[in-house]
């Protein structure tokens, strides 16, 4: 019988192999999707709706972590990615209880910039999100722009015009999805981003590492809607997830750990606020199971 190499030799090889394995799985998924297996849903026959109840509004989770009002780190300032993202998302919530689409999409653009350096799992997620943001922006700036100023206005218009898909049925061409369906997919991705950032900010020493916590958030929020290949690619990507310290450095460069945690907790608070607002608008109009 052959002798297996010692574990200390296998571990570095396995870590280097993870990105290649992820790439292969994603390539297989994209090939399958090009043949019609869009998001794990077969057009006209298979429901995209997972088992279990839809997500409802969530309670505040960020706890006592708050960045000092008079000593904001640069990442929360006018030029900081976190600061720009928070302002855009905050501005998207209008006094009427609706969501302004242009500001919401501006917030997503900043969120994509913020998350992309975090690793392969975020790079793939943000690539998908960027495609959806671009598709919605085309409607916000297109010939029917008057109907795409807010989430409620968009839903009302698309319902009147007969543009909404049947719940749980993916369109044959994802590029022709209704704005409401695209918004729902972004909404779910926002929830995962919020949970992950919150757990990075509040995780305790000796507790689960950031990769485990963000993986758990993915399993709860997004995995039920993803095909097998994407779930396996995500599982592997989380094995190579950066440590909490590195994530905090990326989130708030130059800040002390306590400041970075507090800033990230505030950002997670803002994402939670806009998630709850969007959730309310979609739920009132019966659209949480549209995709």
């Amino acid at each position: 019988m052959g002798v297996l190499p010692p574990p200390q030799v296998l571990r570095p090889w396995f870590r280097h192999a993870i990105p290649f394995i992820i790439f292969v799985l994603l390539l297989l998924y994209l090939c399958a999707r090009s043949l019609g297996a869009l998001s794990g849903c077969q057009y006209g026959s298979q429901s995209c709706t997972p088992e279990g109840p839809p997500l409802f509004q969530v309670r505040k989770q960020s706890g006592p972590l708050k960045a000092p009002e008079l000593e904001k780190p640069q990442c929360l300032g006018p030029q900081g990615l976190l600061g720009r993202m928070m302002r855009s998302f905050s501005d998207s919530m209008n006094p009427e209880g609706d969501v302004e689409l242009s500001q919401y999409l501006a917030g997503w653009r900043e969120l994509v910039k913020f998350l992309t350096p975090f690793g392969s799992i975020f790079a793939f997620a943000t690539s998908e999100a960027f495609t959806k943001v671009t598709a919605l922006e085309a409607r916000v700036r297109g010939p029917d722009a008057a109907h795409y100023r807010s989430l409620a206005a968009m839903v009302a218009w698309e319902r009147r015009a007969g543009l909404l898909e049947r719940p749980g049925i993916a369109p044959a061409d994802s590029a022709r999805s209704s704005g409401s369906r695209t918004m729902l997919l972004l909404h779910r991705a926002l929830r995962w981003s919020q949970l992950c950032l919150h757990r990075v900010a509040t995780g305790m020493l000796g507790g689960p590492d950031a990769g485990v916590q963000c993986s758990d958030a993915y399993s709860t929020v997004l995995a039920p809607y993803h095909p097998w290949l994407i779930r396996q690619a995500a599982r592997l990507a989380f094995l190579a997830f950066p440590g909490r310290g590195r994530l905090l450095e990326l989130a708030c460069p130059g800040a002390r750990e306590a400041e970075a945690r507090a800033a990230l907790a505030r950002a997670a608070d803002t994402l939670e606020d806009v998630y709850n607002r969007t959730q309310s608008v979609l739920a009132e109009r019966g659209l949480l199971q549209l995709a």
Side-chain angles (χ1 to χ4, degrees):
M1 295 177 62
V3 179
L4 291 174
Q8 59 266 32
V9 174
L10 289 174
R11 286 195 195 98
W13 177 89
F14 180 70
R15 287 183 63 85
H16 288 301
I18 285 175
F20 175 73
I21 297 170
I22 294 170
F23 172 77
V24 170
L25 286 172
L26 292 178
L27 184 62
L28 288 172
Y29 166 70
L30 292 174
C31 291
R33 192 168 75 166
S34 68
L35 295 175
L38 295 173
S39 301
C41 306
Q42 191 66 31
Y43 173 61
S45 61
Q46 182 180 352
S47 172
C48 301
T49 305
E51 295 181 0
L55 295 174
F56 293 100
Q57 288 193 343
V58 293
R59 295 179 180 178
K60 285 289 182 186
Q61 303 178 44
S62 299
L65 283 178
K66 297 292 180 184
E69 290 297 330
L70 299 179
E71 300 179 6
K72 288 183 181 179
Q74 289 186 355
C75 61
L76 291 179
Q79 302 305 316
L81 273 178
L82 277 181
R84 297 201 303 269
M85 179 195 74
M86 290 169 63
R87 282 191 299 278
S88 294
F89 275 126
S90 294
D91 290 345
S92 74
M93 295 180 284
N94 67 26
E96 290 76 33
D98 202 354
V99 178
E100 300 291 335
L101 290 181
S102 60
Q103 290 298 324
Y104 179 88
L105 296 174
W108 252 110
R109 280 193 171 272
E110 297 299 334
L111 180 58
V112 166
K113 294 176 188 176
F114 174 71
L115 293 178
T116 298
F118 280 24
S120 57
I121 183 63
F122 281 109
F124 176 72
T126 53
S127 174
E128 290 285 294
F130 185 80
T131 300
K132 294 175 176 62
V133 167
T134 302
L136 270 180
E137 285 178 335
R139 296 174 184 269
V140 170
R141 299 168 183 169
D144 295 318
H147 303 293
Y148 287 90
R149 291 176 180 169
S150 74
L151 176 54
M154 174 178 68
V155 172
W157 157 252
E158 292 189 336
R159 181 163 275 153
R160 288 196 308 270
L163 299 176
L164 295 182
E165 298 86 355
R166 291 170 55 197
I169 303 298
D173 180 1
S174 61
R176 301 177 70 86
S177 292
S178 67
S180 301
R181 186 178 190 276
T182 302
M183 183 73 175
L184 176 59
L185 297 176
L186 279 176
H187 174 61
R188 290 174 183 158
L190 187 73
R191 173 62 172 151
W192 173 62
S193 301
Q194 182 270 324
L195 276 177
C196 185
L197 296 184
H198 167 73
R199 293 175 184 183
V200 170
T202 60
M204 305 303 293
L205 291 175
D209 62 29
V212 171
Q213 292 181 313
C214 290
S215 178
D216 288 345
Y218 170 82
S219 297
T220 299
V221 178
L222 291 179
Y225 302 94
H226 284 172
W228 181 87
L229 279 175
I230 290 298
R231 294 197 302 271
Q232 300 311 306
R235 183 176 63 84
L236 288 171
F238 282 119
L239 295 177
F241 204 71
R244 192 183 313 277
R246 178 56 178 159
L247 290 173
L248 290 171
E249 290 175 8
L250 290 169
C252 206
R256 297 189 298 270
E257 179 179 336
E259 293 175 330
R261 282 177 176 264
L264 205 54
R266 288 183 61 176
D269 264 356
T270 300
L271 297 185
E272 195 169 67
D273 288 340
V274 75
Y275 170 85
N276 281 336
R277 172 69 66 86
T278 307
Q279 181 81 356
S280 177
V281 174
L282 292 172
E284 288 172 1
R285 288 152 182 81
L287 294 181
L288 291 178
Q289 298 301 316
L290 186 61

